[in-house]
Amino acid sequence: MRNADEIYDELLVLRCQCGDADALAKLVARWHPRLLGFAIRVLGEQHIAEDVVQSSWVDVVRRINTVNDPKSIRPWLFRIVANKCKDKIRKRSKQRKHERPGEADQVPDPSLDQLESQSRRSDQISQLRQKMKSLDDGQCEVLRMHYLEELPIDAIAQRLSLPPGTVKSRLHHARQRLKQSLSGDES
């Protein structure tokens, strides 16, 4: 059973598709803080995350009419931001690879430590994503929904048409497999 917030989001999507600018402003007001929080967790820096989310909203405005099922607005929004975050991480990684040795020493950068920290975090995220590919689809999906979309067990169960116990079991087994896989790399 859907709650009032989900129904309201669906109504806003339908109104946006009809060209209602007020509905778009309300959708942005409702979702921007959550999407920004997600991007900050992924990217590690607020100003970069703000740029990514702003760019994501441009895509949302351009593509809102492609949403066939207004019930899917939450995962659709998070998927756009997640893809933009991936692009940003890839772009930063490519820039670092093409940097000549010693180039960073020539231009003082007060945020060098921050960038190195983000790079390590990006590498860890990439490693985690690679390990997630070894999971079966059901486990990977519940991990994504629970941690990236921040959905509670009941919402995941409802979306996947599964009992909550099955979702908990998949989540538990996925965590265990990831833990084993990651600890195996450290030895």
Side-chain angles (χ1 to χ4, degrees):
M1 183 171 188
R2 294 175 303 160
N3 64 34
D5 286 338
E6 292 170 329
I7 294 169
Y8 184 62
D9 285 337
E10 291 173 37
L11 175 65
L12 289 177
V13 170
L14 292 171
R15 288 178 51 200
C16 287
Q17 290 176 333
C18 292
D20 186 341
D22 184 50
L24 178 63
K26 288 177 182 174
L27 193 67
V28 170
R30 287 175 57 80
W31 284 98
H32 187 81
R34 290 181 251 186
L35 297 173
L36 180 59
F38 169 72
I40 289 170
R41 284 190 301 279
V42 172
L43 298 170
E45 271 195 62
Q46 182 163 346
H47 73 280
I48 294 172
E50 287 171 351
D51 290 345
V52 165
V53 173
Q54 187 65 34
S55 173
S56 297
W57 281 114
V58 171
D59 280 3
V60 168
V61 170
R62 287 183 185 148
R63 297 173 32 205
I64 193 79
N65 287 331
T66 66
V67 176
N68 294 325
D69 183 5
K71 287 184 264 184
S72 67
I73 190 64
R74 179 186 176 126
W76 186 74
L77 290 171
F78 276 100
R79 193 168 33 257
I80 289 173
V81 174
N83 288 337
K84 292 280 186 183
C85 288
K86 286 179 197 175
D87 292 344
K88 179 59 83 172
I89 290 168
R90 260 189 243 119
K91 184 178 178 183
R92 288 191 316 199
S93 178
K94 281 183 183 178
Q95 287 172 342
R96 278 193 292 286
K97 285 180 183 176
H98 293 295
E99 200 173 82
R100 290 188 313 260
E103 189 175 298
D105 298 334
Q106 294 172 4
V107 180
D109 185 358
S111 63
L112 186 59
D113 289 338
Q114 259 183 335
L115 288 173
E116 287 175 359
S117 173
Q118 287 174 2
S119 174
R120 280 191 301 276
R121 185 162 193 253
S122 295
D123 290 344
Q124 290 170 340
I125 290 171
S126 295
Q127 181 185 17
L128 183 59
R129 285 197 175 117
Q130 190 65 32
K131 298 294 183 184
M132 284 179 68
K133 289 179 183 177
S134 70
L135 301 175
D136 68 46
D137 291 341
Q139 291 174 339
C140 192
E141 188 170 30
V142 295
L143 274 177
R144 181 185 52 77
M145 292 174 117
H146 189 68
Y147 290 107
L148 296 180
E149 296 180 30
E150 299 180 345
L151 291 175
I153 301 292
D154 290 338
I156 296 170
Q158 182 181 5
R159 188 171 293 167
L160 298 177
S161 301
L162 294 171
T166 302
V167 172
K168 287 179 187 177
S169 176
R170 285 183 184 177
L171 195 54
H172 171 76
H173 290 294
R175 287 179 188 142
Q176 292 301 317
R177 285 199 54 200
L178 280 178
K179 184 178 178 181
Q180 289 170 350
S181 182
L182 291 170
S183 67
D185 286 344
E186 296 175 1
S187 50

